[in-house]
Amino acid sequence: MLDKNLYYEVKNPSPLQLVWQDLRANPISTATLYILGALLIISIFGPLLAPYGSNEQFIDAVSLPPAWSDQGDMRFLLGTDALGRDMVSRLMHGARYTFGLPMLAVIIAALVGCSLGAISAVNVGVKSSTVKHLLDVLLSIPSLLLALVIIAVIGPGLSNAILAIALVFIPQFLHITKNAIADEQKQPYVLASRLNGVDNRYLFFSVLLPNIIKAIVMHLTIALSAAILDIAALGFLGLGAQAPAPEWGAMLAQSLEVAYNSPWVMALPGLALFVTLISVNILGESIRSALDKRLGS
Amino acid sequence: MTTKHFLCSVSLIVVGLVTGCNRALPPEAEGVLYCAEGNPEAFNPQLVTSGTTLDMTSSQLFDRLIEYNESSREFESSLAEHWSVSEDNLRYRFKLREDVPFHSTDFFHPTRNLNAQDVVFTFNRWLKPEHPYHEISGGQYPFFTATRLDQLIREVSATSSHEVEITLREPDSSLLSILASSFAVIMSAEYGQQLLNQGEPQQFDLEPIGTGPFKFSHFRKDVALNYVRHDEYWKGPAASENLVFRIAPNDHKRMLMLLTQDCDISPYPPARDIAWLDEREDIHLQTSMSPNTAFWAFNTDKAPFNDIKVRQALAHAIDRDALISAVYFDHAVRADSILPNTSWAHSPTPEAFRYDPQRARELLDEAGYGSGFTMDVWALPVQRAYNPNARLMAELIQSNLNDIGVNVNIVSYEWSSFRRSLAEGAHDSVLIGWSADHADPDNFFRPLLTCAAKASGNNRAMWCNEIFDNLVTNAIRSIDRPTRESFYHQAQDILAQEVPVVPLAHSIRFQASRDYIQGLQPPAYGGINLRSVSKVAEIERGEP
Amino acid sequence: MSRVIIRQLSLLLITLFLISLLSFSMSYWFPGDPVTNASGIPIDHPRYEEVFEKRGFDSNIAHQYISYLRSLFEGDWGQSMQDNSEIWDELSLRLPATLELTVIALAIALCIGPPLGIIAAKYYRKPIDQVIAFISLAGYSVPVFWLAQVTILIFAVVLDVVPIAGQINPLFDVPAVSGSILIDIALSDIDHKWIAFQNAFLHIVLPAIVLATAPCVLLVRFTRASAIHVLQQKFVKGAYARGLSTAEVMFKHAIPNTMQPVTRQLSTAFSVLVTNVLITEVIFSWPGLGNWLVRSIYERDFPVIQHGLLVLASIILTVNVFANILQAWRYPQVRQEFYAR
């Protein structure tokens, strides 16, 4: 076959590829990537992978401790709860509620929020700093409180909680995109492109977008971590997922009844939540430092 | 190094502060902490039905005319020294004690002891609509309406300064039981008059005055209700200086609070915790066979539950022994009649409620529901002595009924709206129960299953049967026990035939307390009495 | 400076107006009758007609909003649909309890967070920095409701050093005057105030520490990042070159410059605190606003939800604006930014 590339060319990886290489070079962030990848797979295929159903009760195996303790049973690696349900299966089914759904909500919120932000920034143009400061102040209201407002109106429940979370994050993404674009538009390189006579479409997608991606990606991980925490908190308070759904926050709330006698029932969902959150946070942290290094601040 | 020093000193300060503070109480704060399951609805037992409110008010703040002694099964004198019944069983005379003082508090200073006026005032409040207090706090007196005492009593009058006469319209053998119940407490007419003069009659049920062993001190919703000792109590002062009811609606939280000594006494420990609580040295468990019944009531106003065959089929479809082991952890006995097995009129009909899914399917076929149907089961959202976990019970019933082709939706609301909707008859069927208010068997029939109870919104089966009503009324009109017994046996046979409710279990009531609590009695009828309860003195207890 | 203050205060007024508008419209969004949702008076109540008129429901929407504002300022906040208690009375006891817990937790976070952050930056990439960085990341990732349960299990149930519920042992005859337990003890006339303070301290220490965790690690992270940046600046090197001691460089030059971006993040820390106080109060049975609000959402007690959210949001907004003012007052370069020319 003839090599089409006739001339010797230095292949410059794009900035985002460089960031990816940086991430892979760091063992801790690689580990979090694997963890999150596994979580994603479990979220999608969890019900197929789990050994038992999430609400399958084993009358002969009630409140069994994890398998490595003396009273444990190899059938149930992490033990069973007070109703004889396998903890491994419940956690795996729960990943969908606690990790998958918030992720979906954040992605949707990001898509909607960023497009709206871009449209308003390009079309309206930000002249008034008062509006910016006003939004700054209004967005200081924590997401859980806003989600509570929405749930208060539409009522408790898992789907309502997801909807509330998605709605709450839209204005954040909108605000961030809009601010980032407004900041970038003042830069000389944008002016240079304009003077080159590019059309608005090219200006936005090829000139502005690569430069605001950093702010969006950084906020994406922050929002994901907050969304996971909020969904779990709502489940814990009985306002999100309802029993017997194996959502981790709701599982934690239910486990309180037996916390004294079977502490693993309480420890495991909390631990799962902790590992998920710390992975998301470390990944966010690594992406940020890699971006800082590659794209400059 | 400075860092290390800094961290060390911070942690030392924190540890020092925590261990340096001790939890010992100063002498004036000694007392007993009772963890209650909810806020009291009112400080007046006349207005309420909930056992929680009764526990917190009745025997603590007030006294009754007479009391029922469970061991001898006889009535005893209390505020009334003695009493007599006229020949025609229509007039009861009560001679009152003369040495009974009311509480003296910041908001009320009594000028006289209890006399006949107080009894007349208290009874007329629910008896006579023209009474100045009748409409205060809602004007509902559910216990007296359900027992039809307001229909039964013609008049309450003072025949002398310390003698009261109650005249009935017709003979009723349950009157003494009702007067001995926790609802029939005596209040102060003088306090009522004082509040009327001040123009604040609603305070009467918020800042109560009674003759009981404890006085009202203050109440903060969702936190605690504080009582102090009534030093002039006529039976002698209570054993403890202070009595505090902490509001702790979560049962697991109550258990943890018992372990951390945030509670001294905790009622209704959850069934799942009984076994390990029993093993602990520092916790005492007390039990009593309290006269209560958990039952499953069908709304007989609605199709298909207006069909006897359907009700019989559903009764045969559920495995009550399995319910008892799963829900009560075997801390209950199977109920084969609505009337508890401790009652003298108990007549079990186990055949009517036998677990027999085959028979159930046949009955459904006969009723024309061979292909099944969908129904709601309402599950009590709170735990009660008679049912620790109605939700779980509903889930088990759901799977039982699934076997005979009946689909079940489980419904549960927050407690107050749950009760409101039940009274309106919005349910298909409900898992609920009843704890006896007084010792008479009548208490399980008239307040629960008569047409009058349906009218007052307490008949969960919405069931009204004339023959049954007649039997129950005849039973109450006769005085001698064998006659009454035969009426009650016939009534129970009708229930077995008609199945408006399926009796499920009579629970064993548990009560947990710390080992340093003494003088605590397991309660049976109505509210608990905490007069003789106290902590063992600090010295004897050793290290706190 | 006065321009910044006026600008920020007018910003606060506008946002509060928006929030009140939101709260007002919630009566319409909730299912059921708007008059009942706003006041808690059911339709069949004898006072319904009176409330209907008082709240301007016989007139247009603008009039209704004005009536709503008037009721707010008169303290007529309606009553709970669950137990008919006056919301204003209940709130005035519960809000101080919540603020007490929040302020103590914030104080703990402020005392521990920034110093740890500066220490970590000082020993950047040394083991002590890595330990602090890891703890702060872990603390940031641990859900507060789990942390609360685990600490309860360890410190209260197993070790039995602290109680688990409420503000104080209710056997202490401390009447609820303000709602904040420490103030109430000081105001009360009980004999053994010192013992009562100790008891209250034991009750507050665990929830306050649990609550302080999240804002504390947040401050550690902000401070560390900012201090690392500052310590790399040339003026720090210059200060060392002039022969100043480490302590002098740190306290006179590095720390004041570090704290500027950290001050900006104080309101973020406060928002996190308010989110967590809702949950912490539920777990520790703290008789505060959060506990009440969560239960009222569950019970669909609309007047309580409406006013509880209004109060919480207003507090956050106010704190945010005052943090801005504080920052502008303390740092002239920030003031320039706020002039926004």
Side-chain angles (χ1 to χ4, degrees):
Chain A
M1 280 275 251
L2 184 72
D3 193 349
K4 282 181 185 163
N5 210 351
L6 290 175
Y7 303 100
Y8 175 74
E9 203 173 28
V10 179
K11 273 214 159 179
N12 273 332
S14 77
L16 281 179
Q17 279 171 329
L18 282 174
V19 168
W20 177 251
Q21 283 172 6
D22 267 8
L23 282 185
R24 293 306 303 265
N26 179 341
I28 295 181
S29 37
T30 315
T32 62
L33 276 177
Y34 281 124
I35 293 177
L36 292 177
L39 272 172
L40 197 61
I41 290 171
I42 293 176
S43 303
I44 299 169
F45 302 108
L48 299 175
L49 299 173
Y52 309 103
S54 65
N55 288 316
E56 204 175 334
Q57 301 183 9
F58 295 87
I59 307 290
D60 58 326
V62 170
S63 293
L64 280 186
W68 54 85
S69 82
D70 291 342
Q71 293 97 47
D73 184 331
M74 272 320 290
R75 281 189 299 160
F76 310 107
L77 187 63
L78 294 177
T80 58
D81 67 3
L83 294 173
R85 297 178 291 197
D86 178 37
M87 289 304 289
V88 176
S89 310
R90 280 182 76 70
L91 288 175
M92 288 176 84
H93 282 267
R96 174 172 290 189
Y97 298 101
T98 315
F99 180 73
L101 288 181
M103 192 154 153
L104 203 65
V106 168
I107 289 173
I108 291 173
L111 286 178
V112 176
C114 292
S115 347
L116 288 179
I119 291 169
S120 66
V122 172
N123 292 348
V124 184
V126 192
K127 296 289 180 287
S128 160
S129 69
T130 313
V131 177
K132 176 173 170 284
H133 282 156
L134 198 68
L135 269 173
D136 270 340
V137 174
L138 279 178
L139 285 176
S140 69
I141 299 177
S143 56
L144 185 68
L145 204 63
L146 287 176
L148 283 183
V149 174
I150 296 173
I151 284 178
V153 174
I154 59 182
L158 179 65
S159 46
N160 289 353
I162 295 284
L163 181 68
I165 294 293
L167 286 178
V168 163
F169 283 103
I170 289 178
Q172 293 190 5
F173 281 106
L174 192 156
H175 189 51
I176 281 188
T177 316
K178 199 171 158 181
N179 280 350
I181 293 182
D183 285 346
E184 293 301 322
Q185 272 178 334
K186 292 176 195 149
Q187 303 288 332
Y189 73 89
V190 180
L191 188 65
S193 308
R194 269 189 214 273
L195 290 175
N196 275 347
V198 302
D199 62 359
N200 273 339
R201 201 184 131 81
Y202 183 88
L203 185 74
F204 178 72
F205 284 103
S206 303
V207 180
L208 281 173
L209 196 61
N211 290 296
I212 60 166
I213 206 90
K214 177 193 164 195
I216 295 173
V217 167
M218 263 165 55
H219 194 71
L220 211 54
T221 58
I222 294 173
L224 179 60
S225 153
I228 292 174
L229 206 52
D230 287 350
I231 287 289
L234 289 173
F236 180 83
L237 294 174
L239 301 171
Q242 306 286 320
E247 195 273 317
W248 296 345
M251 275 169 79
L252 254 177
Q254 279 192 303
S255 73
L256 301 185
E257 292 177 0
V258 294
Y260 184 74
N261 285 308
S262 10
W264 61 91
V265 179
M266 187 189 88
L268 288 172
L271 213 58
L273 205 50
F274 176 68
V275 169
T276 310
L277 284 171
I278 207 169
S279 305
V280 173
N281 289 334
I282 288 179
L283 187 69
E285 197 83 331
S286 318
I287 290 181
R288 198 174 60 134
S289 60
L291 280 171
D292 276 345
K293 210 156 89 187
R294 292 295 169 193
L295 300 181
S297 49
Chain B
M1 279 310 106
T2 50
T3 328
K4 218 175 237 175
H5 286 154
F6 172 75
L7 287 177
C8 284
S9 48
V10 166
S11 49
L12 268 182
I13 290 170
V14 170
V15 169
L17 276 173
V18 171
T19 48
C21 288
N22 75 61
R23 290 159 80 181
L25 298 171
E28 86 270 5
E30 273 300 341
V32 172
L33 288 171
Y34 180 99
C35 278
E37 319 94 270
N39 288 305
E41 297 162 77
F43 292 103
N44 182 348
Q46 294 176 329
L47 298 165
V48 303
T49 52
S50 90
T52 309
T53 311
L54 278 190
D55 281 343
M56 295 168 88
T57 56
S58 181
S59 298
Q60 277 39 274
L61 292 170
F62 304 103
D63 282 300
R64 288 97 84 176
L65 288 177
I66 53 172
E67 278 170 19
Y68 180 74
N69 184 320
E70 281 157 42
S71 46
S72 65
R73 300 198 172 187
E74 295 294 336
F75 295 104
E76 282 181 348
S77 72
S78 179
L79 291 179
E81 260 173 331
H82 49 80
W83 64 94
S84 58
V85 189
S86 68
E87 284 290 309
D88 54 3
N89 290 330
L90 284 177
R91 274 171 294 139
Y92 290 69
R93 273 178 185 242
F94 297 87
K95 176 79 181 70
L96 303 179
R97 302 179 66 98
E98 304 200 356
D99 57 347
V100 180
F102 279 102
H103 300 154
S104 177
T105 63
D106 303 343
F107 47 90
F108 175 65
H109 300 284
T111 59
R112 59 168 177 82
N113 281 354
L114 175 110
N115 67 23
Q117 289 311 315
D118 296 312
V119 180
V120 174
F121 169 84
T122 307
F123 278 68
N124 279 347
R125 173 166 179 186
W126 47 264
L127 197 57
K128 296 212 164 120
E130 67 272 18
H131 190 276
Y133 277 90
H134 186 79
E135 291 298 328
I136 305 294
S137 306
Q140 297 291 319
Y141 303 93
F143 176 77
F144 299 102
T145 323
T147 52
R148 304 195 65 179
L149 204 60
D150 52 345
Q151 312 291 315
L152 179 72
I153 295 182
R154 182 188 300 278
E155 196 184 9
V156 178
S157 57
T159 44
S160 76
S161 75
H162 284 85
E163 194 178 60
V164 183
E165 186 177 79
I166 298 179
T167 317
L168 305 183
R169 290 182 208 275
E170 55 201 32
D172 189 313
S173 50
S174 70
L175 179 72
L176 288 181
S177 287
I178 294 173
L179 293 185
S181 78
S182 307
F183 298 95
V185 297
I186 304 300
M187 298 175 187
S188 168
E190 192 189 358
Y191 181 49
Q193 192 54 49
Q194 178 191 316
L195 288 178
L196 277 184
N197 295 343
Q198 291 169 357
E200 305 182 311
Q202 68 284 358
Q203 288 300 102
F204 192 77
D205 300 319
L206 300 175
E207 292 185 330
I209 290 290
T211 57
F214 293 97
K215 299 192 275 194
F216 177 82
S217 169
H218 52 87
F219 168 56
R220 185 162 170 209
K221 202 170 113 327
D222 297 331
V223 180
L225 163 62
N226 291 49
Y227 289 155
V228 293
R229 175 156 68 195
H230 177 34
D231 288 318
E232 295 83 36
Y233 186 51
W234 59 278
K235 284 185 190 167
S240 185
E241 179 85 20
N242 291 290
L243 174 63
V244 173
F245 290 89
R246 273 193 116 149
I247 317 293
N250 275 340
D251 61 347
H252 65 264
K253 191 85 190 248
R254 278 206 302 280
M255 282 310 95
L256 292 182
M257 286 167 79
L258 193 67
L259 297 182
T260 58
Q261 306 186 21
D262 286 318
C263 295
D264 297 327
I265 306 168
S266 175
Y268 310 115
R272 59 174 180 267
D273 291 336
I274 299 286
W276 65 267
L277 278 177
D278 203 21
E279 281 170 17
R280 281 184 70 118
E281 295 267 306
D282 53 352
I283 308 280
H284 279 183
L285 267 187
Q286 287 172 309
T287 60
S288 62
M289 266 310 293
S290 27
N292 60 41
T293 309
F295 54 82
W296 182 27
F298 305 111
N299 185 348
T300 55
D301 271 352
K302 276 193 182 176
F305 311 101
N306 51 4
D307 187 335
I308 293 185
K309 289 230 165 75
V310 172
R311 303 201 295 260
Q312 285 173 339
L314 294 174
H316 283 304
I318 57 167
D319 184 357
R320 291 175 304 150
D321 290 321
L323 292 187
I324 286 166
S325 77
V327 178
Y328 298 86
F329 294 81
D330 289 321
H331 300 309
V333 294
R334 198 183 68 200
D336 287 322
S337 160
I338 187 93
L339 201 58
N341 48 4
T342 47
S343 173
W344 49 263
H346 178 68
S347 155
T349 51
E351 192 48 34
F353 315 113
R354 181 173 40 87
Y355 177 50
D356 187 349
Q358 187 53 41
R359 175 87 190 114
R361 269 190 291 268
E362 286 167 22
L363 281 165
L364 274 190
D365 265 341
E366 288 171 34
Y369 289 96
S371 52
F373 56 91
T374 299
M375 67 184 286
D376 289 345
V377 172
W378 288 35
L380 182 77
V382 290
Q383 351 132 25
R384 285 283 177 262
Y386 50 75
N387 196 338
N389 190 347
R391 177 95 206 173
L392 176 62
M393 192 183 262
E395 283 169 17
L396 293 166
I397 287 181
Q398 186 177 36
S399 79
N400 273 165
L401 292 191
N402 205 17
D403 294 342
I404 62 160
V406 175
N407 284 322
V408 171
N409 297 319
I410 299 172
V411 179
S412 196
Y413 295 116
E414 188 277 327
W415 180 226
S416 56
S417 38
F418 187 82
R419 284 180 41 169
R420 203 166 38 239
S421 312
L422 273 187
E424 288 162 4
H427 57 293
D428 282 352
S429 74
V430 59
L431 287 170
I432 199 161
W434 182 257
S435 291
D437 310 308
H438 60 79
D440 202 275
D442 180 58
N443 191 224
F444 276 89
F445 296 108
R446 277 199 299 172
L448 288 185
L449 291 164
T450 54
C451 304
K454 182 177 177 181
S456 74
N458 283 317
N459 187 336
R460 302 302 179 217
M462 296 286 161
W463 184 67
C464 181
N465 180 306
E466 233 168 89
I467 309 169
F468 177 83
D469 265 27
N470 280 337
L471 282 170
V472 173
T473 314
N474 285 337
I476 207 67
R477 289 213 179 137
S478 10
I479 297 293
D480 86 314
R481 203 168 267 192
T483 323
R484 296 189 67 197
E485 205 168 333
S486 94
F487 282 127
Y488 284 129
H489 284 184
Q490 291 174 50
Q492 287 170 72
D493 288 342
I494 292 184
L495 289 182
Q497 183 58 37
E498 288 265 336
V499 208
V501 298
V502 180
L504 301 168
H506 309 298
S507 78
I508 299 170
R509 179 170 170 177
F510 287 85
Q511 176 169 280
S513 59
R514 299 290 305 197
D515 54 348
Y516 51 72
I517 290 294
Q518 57 185 8
L520 181 64
Q521 304 290 328
Y525 292 106
I528 189 173
N529 187 336
L530 297 169
R531 175 177 162 244
S532 55
V533 175
S534 67
K535 277 183 184 163
V536 181
E538 197 79 30
I539 312 106
E540 292 169 48
R541 239 203 284 165
E543 199 52 34
Chain C
M1 188 60 209
S2 54
R3 264 176 63 195
V4 174
I5 294 181
I6 290 170
R7 199 185 157 84
Q8 287 291 320
L9 286 184
S10 52
L11 208 61
L12 180 64
L13 274 182
I14 297 170
T15 46
L16 286 184
F17 164 74
L18 290 176
I19 290 289
S20 74
L21 213 55
L22 180 77
S23 168
F24 168 73
S25 19
M26 274 166 89
S27 315
Y28 291 89
W29 297 339
F30 289 143
D33 181 65
V35 185
T36 309
N37 291 342
S39 64
I41 307 275
I43 287 193
D44 50 4
H45 194 278
R47 276 188 55 217
Y48 182 82
E49 284 299 317
E50 181 196 327
V51 175
F52 187 87
E53 263 171 50
K54 182 163 181 277
R55 298 218 168 225
F57 276 84
D58 46 0
S59 184
N60 61 16
I61 196 109
H63 190 78
Q64 287 174 28
Y65 176 69
I66 292 166
S67 311
Y68 165 79
L69 280 188
R70 196 190 305 132
S71 305
L72 272 189
F73 286 113
E74 282 171 357
D76 172 19
W77 289 30
Q79 58 183 39
S80 155
M81 284 158 83
Q82 285 297 330
D83 55 18
N84 303 330
S85 57
E86 284 294 321
I87 291 176
W88 174 255
D89 297 345
E90 190 72 29
L91 199 80
S92 53
L93 275 185
R94 283 179 179 270
L95 184 60
T98 301
L99 288 182
E100 177 178 46
L101 194 57
T102 316
V103 167
I104 291 178
L106 193 62
I108 295 177
L110 282 176
C111 291
I112 297 179
L116 277 187
I118 287 169
I119 289 167
K122 180 79 186 52
Y123 299 95
Y124 184 45
R125 301 234 159 121
K126 302 237 169 57
I128 190 158
D129 169 50
Q130 278 159 352
V131 169
I132 291 177
F134 178 76
I135 290 177
S136 72
L137 202 62
Y140 183 64
S141 309
V142 64
V144 65
F145 41 90
W146 190 54
L147 183 68
Q149 285 304 331
V150 173
T151 50
I152 281 184
L153 212 55
I154 295 173
F155 293 104
V157 179
V158 177
L159 297 179
D160 200 13
V161 285
V162 290
I164 56 170
Q167 292 177 303
I168 192 171
N169 188 325
L171 281 170
F172 285 97
D173 199 15
V174 181
V177 180
S178 65
S180 149
I181 190 65
L182 298 178
I183 296 176
D184 278 348
I185 294 176
L187 290 177
S188 73
D189 50 0
I190 56 171
D191 294 333
H192 295 78
K193 280 193 184 177
W194 179 236
I195 303 183
F197 272 123
Q198 290 187 2
N199 197 291
F201 172 78
L202 283 176
H203 277 81
I204 208 168
V205 64
L206 200 55
I209 289 178
V210 166
L211 190 55
T213 308
C216 180
V217 296
L218 211 60
L219 288 176
V220 170
R221 283 154 56 93
F222 289 142
T223 320
R224 178 172 170 268
S226 160
I228 288 172
H229 178 72
V230 168
L231 286 175
Q232 286 166 350
Q233 300 292 309
K234 290 197 177 103
F235 72 86
V236 174
K237 205 174 269 176
Y240 276 116
R242 290 205 306 278
L244 298 184
S245 72
T246 310
E248 277 172 317
V249 175
M250 291 303 287
F251 285 102
K252 283 203 177 135
H253 297 274
I255 293 180
N257 282 294
T258 303
M259 293 319 284
Q260 188 217 311
V262 177
T263 330
R264 175 172 291 188
Q265 298 296 349
L266 276 184
S267 51
T268 315
F270 187 77
S271 297
V272 172
L273 201 56
V274 172
T275 309
N276 287 351
V277 83
L278 297 176
I279 299 165
T280 315
E281 279 183 8
V282 173
I283 297 174
F284 286 93
S285 311
W286 195 261
L289 192 54
N291 204 341
W292 193 41
L293 187 62
V294 169
R295 202 185 52 204
S296 66
I297 294 178
Y298 188 64
E299 292 175 347
R300 317 227 65 185
D301 192 343
F302 298 122
V304 177
I305 301 176
Q306 196 179 350
H307 292 102
L309 287 173
L310 176 72
V311 169
L312 276 186
S314 317
I315 290 174
I316 293 173
L317 295 179
T318 314
V319 167
N320 192 299
V321 163
F322 277 94
N324 283 348
I325 292 178
L326 173 81
Q327 206 195 354
W329 168 67
R330 196 66 195 78
Y331 302 103
Q333 64 268 50
V334 179
R335 219 178 297 163
Q336 290 303 321
E337 207 175 301
F338 279 125
Y339 286 152
R341 268 185 284 238

